[in-house]
């Protein structure tokens, strides 16, 4: 193979978003070091600028799609879509963070640097075209997130959250790696397209059974990241213990990226064992929806309710993956975008409320919010309605497209069970709204001031995006439909 | 290729991986649990290197380098997390870390 070792300018452009994030993250760290421990400043404006620049670079790179660095990454429309989702999630998380960190007296540049690094990993995951990149992206994203989960290191719950996330996360990664090793052993390659060619070639002698086992091992790694049953146990504990803005980010960014890489690996590399995959994901999707929705019913802590709800939503997206069609992939993409906005919006309200030692994150602390802060209550209700899937919100069209894709693929049983379980979900979301609107204000209401500017911006942006996706879904859906074909 | 056949390496790797996975679930000390994860990663490395030698390609060995680098980074972060947990709770037993429950 005669290729030049030096990458072309177009290839550098295709990696520009990640480059911007890494460089800015490192600059933030250096600035923090230069300032010294005594005058730590709020460096969030720099992080916001970096993310906006990375978004611009993503748009620029999408204008000239193609592979880069010897096929290590493939910056196509599919990758650009998920890069934008991850970057938006990161942007909203940064906006929620700055007032939270000031309140916790933990303002620092390294927090934002870690967020940027984590996003770098997720952007790499969205475009990875090689199992080495899948592994590296997953680890860059995860290691940064482990630290963020335990960011307030004097808080025992933060530690516990980080420890659980770290131990179970590395355990799952080991399974993913073992699967990768076997795929390499079966096909002699780690490039997704070459794996596809080898597996589809009847003369290669690749055993479908061994391929299936290897794919299942890899699925364990991905299922952990998207918190799918039976690898969901970490999610409620980690989301509850981590700082609220970090939980917001974890529930959207890494999850979207993990779905992106799962779809790409599954659709690009393993069409030869599609039937076996489909059965496994069918079961996982059903289990995830049921466990998420039913476990959320008995929770009283807002962060735990949202954690179980995020498990259930992963289940809906898995339904779209089970559909195993282009419309299914497009539905999954649309849903993950809508979910990122509505869920971060909901977590932004929680970040506004939570205080050191996890005060004010119980359901009852919201009592009477509608009387004291009608705007916050109204926005929170909008996000909850979108999570339920009420029309005119992004959540409605997301669910609609997912179940439509499932019916088109003949998954009637899964659709019926999914719709039933999402009806159960309406109960726990509505319970939050009832508490906000129909309960008398408690003591906590007196201590809560109106949201800080950063949180206000995050709330309004998420609300606007949720409504836009609900009223004009076709913009995003058309883009998703054209780019879903690319990973097939 | 003379000497040890490929399957022996793979069986050894599978045994090491299974030992690591079992240890992760059975052992109660955080450090031991963490070492079990490292054992699993190194079992995977063994598979990669064995396959790489079998195919006479370099990809598997390169992958091993990446795994080693990432494992080192993970160890740095993981031990720091374990240290902060120990500072706050003065215990290394996994079962004692249970304040996040309903």
């Amino acid at each position: 193979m005669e290729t030049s070792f030096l990458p072309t300018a177009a290839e550098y452009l295709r990696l520009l978003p990640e480059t911007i994030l890494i460089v800015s993250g490192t600059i933030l760290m250096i600035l923090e070091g230069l300032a010294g421990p005594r005058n730590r400043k709020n460096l969030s404006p720099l992080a916001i600028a970096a993310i906006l620049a990375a978004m611009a670079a993503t748009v620029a790179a999408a204008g000239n799609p193609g592979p880069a660095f010897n096929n290590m990454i493939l910056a196509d429309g599919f990758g650009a879509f998920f890069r934008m989702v991850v970057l938006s999630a990161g942007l909203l998380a940064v906006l929620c963070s700055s007032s939270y960190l000031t309140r916790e007296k933990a303002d620092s540049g390294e927090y934002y640097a870690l967020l940027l690094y984590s996003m770098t990993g997720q952007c790499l995951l969205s475009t990875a075209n090689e199992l080495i990149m899948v592994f590296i992206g997953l680890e860059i994203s995860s290691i940064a997130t482990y630290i963020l989960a335990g960011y307030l290191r004097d808080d025992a719950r933060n530690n516990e959250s980080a420890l659980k996330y770290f131990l179970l996360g590395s355990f799952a990664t080991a399974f993913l790696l073992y699967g990768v090793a076997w795929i390499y052993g079966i096909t002699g390659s780690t490039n997704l397209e070459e794996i596809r060619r080898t597996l589809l070639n009847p003369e290669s002698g690749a055993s479908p059974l061994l391929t299936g086992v290897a794919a299942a091992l890899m699925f364990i790694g991905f299922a952990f990241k998207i918190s799918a049953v039976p690898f969901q146990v970490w999610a409620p504990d980690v989301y509850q213990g981590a700082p609220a803005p970090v939980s917001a980010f974890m529930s959207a960014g890494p999850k979207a990226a993990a779905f992106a890489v799962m779809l790409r690996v599954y659709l690009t590399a393993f069409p030869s064992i599609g039937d076996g995959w489909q059965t496994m994901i069918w079961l996982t999707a059903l289990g995830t929806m049921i466990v998420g929705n039913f476990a959320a019913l008995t929770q009283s802590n807002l962060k735990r309710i949202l954690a179980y709800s995020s498990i259930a939503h992963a289940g809906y997206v898995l339904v779209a993956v089970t559909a195993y069609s282009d419309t299914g992939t497009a539905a999954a993409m649309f849903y993950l975008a809508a979910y990122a906005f509505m869920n971060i919006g909901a977590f932004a309200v929680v970040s506004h409320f939570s205080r050191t030692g996890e005060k004010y994150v119980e359901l009852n602390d919201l009592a009477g919010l509608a009387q004291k802060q009608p705007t916050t209550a109204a926005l929170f209700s909008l996000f909850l309605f979108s999570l339920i899937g009420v029309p005119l919100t992004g959540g409605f069209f997301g669910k609609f497209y997912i179940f439509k894709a499932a019916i088109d693929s003949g998954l009637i049983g899964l659709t019926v069970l999914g719709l039933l379980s999402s009806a159960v979900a309406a109960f726990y979301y509505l319970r939050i709204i009832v508490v906000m609107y129909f309960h008398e204000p408690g003591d906590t209401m007196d201590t809560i001031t109106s949201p800080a500017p950063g949180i206000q911006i995050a709330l309004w942006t998420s609300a606007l995006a949720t409504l836009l996706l609900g009223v004009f879904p076709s913009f995003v859906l058309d883009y998703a439909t054209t780019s879903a074909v690319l990973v097939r | 290729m003379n000497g040890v056949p490929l399957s022996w390496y793979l069986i050894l790797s599978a045994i090491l991986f299974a030992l690591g996975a079992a240890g992760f679930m059975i052992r109660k000390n955080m450090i031991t649990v963490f070492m079990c994860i490292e054992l699993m990663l190194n079992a995977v490395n063994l598979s990669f290197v064995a396959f790489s030698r079998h195919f006479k390609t370099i990809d598997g060995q390169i992958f091993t380098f990446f795994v080693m680098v990432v494992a080192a980074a993970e160890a740095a972060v993981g031990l720091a997390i374990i240290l902060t947990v120990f500072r706050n709770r003065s215990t290394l037993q996994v079962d004692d870390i249970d304040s996040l429950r309903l």
Side-chain angles (χ1 to χ4, degrees):
Chain A
M1 197 163 52
E2 198 61 45
T3 43
S4 161
F5 279 107
L6 287 177
T8 60
E11 293 183 44
Y12 283 117
L13 177 64
R14 286 170 198 148
L15 197 70
L16 191 59
E18 287 85 352
T19 316
I20 292 176
L21 291 174
I22 282 279
V23 170
S24 332
T26 312
I27 291 176
L28 281 174
M29 296 270 241
I30 293 173
L31 283 181
E32 165 112 344
L34 289 179
R38 279 178 206 288
N39 37 37
R40 291 187 158 187
K41 285 195 206 71
N42 184 348
L43 292 171
S44 64
L46 269 174
I48 292 173
I51 297 173
L52 291 176
M55 283 179 164
T58 304
V59 175
N64 181 12
F69 303 102
N70 273 321
N71 269 325
M72 285 304 240
I73 67 165
L74 181 62
D76 53 5
F78 180 82
F81 185 92
F82 277 105
R83 273 177 175 167
M84 284 311 266
V85 172
V86 166
L87 291 170
S88 316
L91 185 64
L92 293 172
V94 169
L95 287 169
C96 298
S97 300
S98 87
S99 63
Y100 181 93
L101 291 180
T102 311
R103 206 162 55 211
E104 301 281 348
K105 298 186 180 58
D107 255 331
S108 76
E110 66 181 349
Y111 175 90
Y112 298 108
L114 285 167
L115 261 181
L116 293 182
Y117 291 152
S118 176
M119 276 181 256
T120 312
Q122 289 145 26
C123 286
L124 276 178
L125 274 180
S126 318
T127 50
N129 192 34
E130 165 95 23
L131 292 173
I132 295 186
M133 289 315 293
V134 171
F135 172 63
I136 304 267
L138 200 67
E139 285 298 295
I140 295 178
S141 154
S142 304
I143 292 180
T145 324
Y146 298 149
I147 309 176
L148 283 174
Y151 187 70
L152 306 169
R153 58 175 176 266
D154 296 326
D155 184 293
R157 293 181 201 211
N158 266 243
N159 296 157
E160 180 173 340
S161 165
L163 181 75
K164 284 181 173 164
Y165 195 31
F166 165 71
L167 286 179
L168 292 168
S170 343
F171 185 61
T173 311
F175 278 95
L176 174 94
L177 264 183
Y178 200 42
V180 171
W182 274 96
I183 291 292
Y184 173 59
I186 294 164
T187 63
S189 170
T190 48
N191 182 287
L192 296 183
E193 279 146 24
E194 271 177 47
I195 292 171
R196 175 200 183 94
R197 271 197 294 280
T198 314
L199 290 179
L200 284 178
N201 179 4
E203 284 163 25
S204 67
S207 141
L209 179 70
L210 277 183
T211 315
V213 172
L217 284 169
M218 287 179 69
F219 181 71
I220 294 179
F222 296 137
F224 174 86
K225 294 294 166 199
I226 58 176
S227 63
V229 166
F231 309 103
Q232 90 294 3
V233 275
W234 61 277
D237 285 2
V238 171
Y239 288 12
Q240 186 193 351
V246 175
S247 310
F249 179 66
M250 278 196 293
S251 69
K255 193 171 259 186
F259 266 112
V261 71
M262 197 173 100
L263 282 166
R264 203 191 277 274
V265 169
Y266 172 40
L267 296 172
T268 306
F270 296 130
S272 61
I273 51 162
D275 295 341
W277 261 104
Q278 227 184 343
T279 320
M280 188 165 69
I281 296 186
W282 192 98
L283 284 171
T284 317
L286 183 63
T288 310
M289 286 188 291
I290 289 181
V291 168
N293 281 330
F294 280 88
L297 290 176
T298 55
Q299 304 297 323
S300 62
N301 181 303
L302 274 176
K303 277 163 120 182
R304 280 187 92 87
I305 294 179
L306 288 175
Y308 280 111
S309 119
S310 92
I311 294 175
H313 286 274
Y316 303 140
V317 182
L318 280 171
V319 172
V321 180
T322 317
Y324 197 31
S325 60
D326 291 340
T327 42
T329 312
M333 291 166 77
F334 182 90
Y335 199 86
L336 285 165
Y339 168 77
F341 288 111
M342 61 199 184
N343 206 50
I344 292 197
F347 263 114
V349 179
V350 179
S351 330
H352 166 51
F353 272 83
S354 68
R355 293 289 186 281
T356 321
E358 293 303 314
K359 279 183 218 141
Y360 310 139
V361 290
E362 290 298 313
L363 183 55
N364 292 333
D365 291 323
L366 288 179
L369 182 68
Q371 291 175 33
K372 298 283 176 181
Q373 292 179 31
T375 331
T376 314
L379 289 172
F380 196 16
S381 310
L382 171 71
F383 300 131
L384 293 171
F385 279 127
S386 182
L387 287 166
I388 297 174
V390 172
L392 290 181
T393 61
F396 168 75
F397 276 109
K399 275 210 182 73
F400 176 75
Y401 293 137
I402 282 181
F403 288 118
K404 186 172 166 294
I407 290 177
D408 287 346
S409 297
L411 301 165
I412 310 293
L414 189 61
T415 307
V416 171
L417 292 168
L419 285 173
L420 284 178
S421 92
S422 72
V424 172
F427 174 77
Y428 59 82
Y429 292 126
L430 287 175
R431 199 168 56 143
I432 302 179
I433 295 176
V434 167
V435 169
M436 281 196 299
Y437 278 87
F438 301 110
H439 285 203
E440 283 305 305
D443 305 334
T444 54
M445 276 305 138
D446 305 330
T447 60
I448 303 280
T449 49
S450 64
I455 292 194
Q456 295 264 21
I457 299 173
L459 281 174
W460 284 105
T461 318
S462 318
L464 198 67
T466 307
L467 283 176
L468 271 179
L469 287 172
V471 183
F472 305 109
S474 53
F475 287 119
V476 176
L477 189 75
D478 288 347
Y479 189 81
T481 312
T482 42
S483 43
V485 185
L486 296 171
V487 291
R488 185 171 42 169
Chain B
M1 200 175 5
N2 51 11
V4 189
L6 174 67
S7 56
W8 290 24
Y9 289 109
L10 297 182
I11 292 168
L12 177 62
S13 158
I15 292 173
L16 286 176
F17 191 86
L19 277 177
F24 179 90
M25 287 179 252
I26 296 168
R27 301 314 286 274
K28 298 293 173 207
N29 184 297
M30 279 178 221
I31 306 274
T32 320
V33 168
F34 177 59
M35 282 163 66
C36 289
I37 295 173
E38 294 292 307
L39 185 62
M40 291 165 77
L41 291 179
N42 283 312
V44 174
N45 282 345
L46 182 60
S47 286
F48 269 122
V49 174
F51 281 130
S52 193
R53 192 175 140 89
H54 175 72
F55 290 125
K56 301 204 169 50
T57 55
I58 199 98
D59 302 20
Q61 311 217 10
I62 292 174
F63 213 122
T64 308
F65 277 118
F66 279 110
V67 175
M68 280 158 63
V69 170
V70 166
E74 220 172 49
V77 169
L79 289 175
I81 291 174
I82 294 176
L83 199 68
T84 54
V85 171
F86 182 73
R87 272 205 200 132
N88 276 327
R89 306 192 188 226
S90 311
T91 176
L92 278 176
Q93 298 302 305
V94 184
D95 292 344
D96 296 341
I97 314 295
D98 58 356
S99 58
L100 295 172
R101 287 269 165 83
L102 177 66

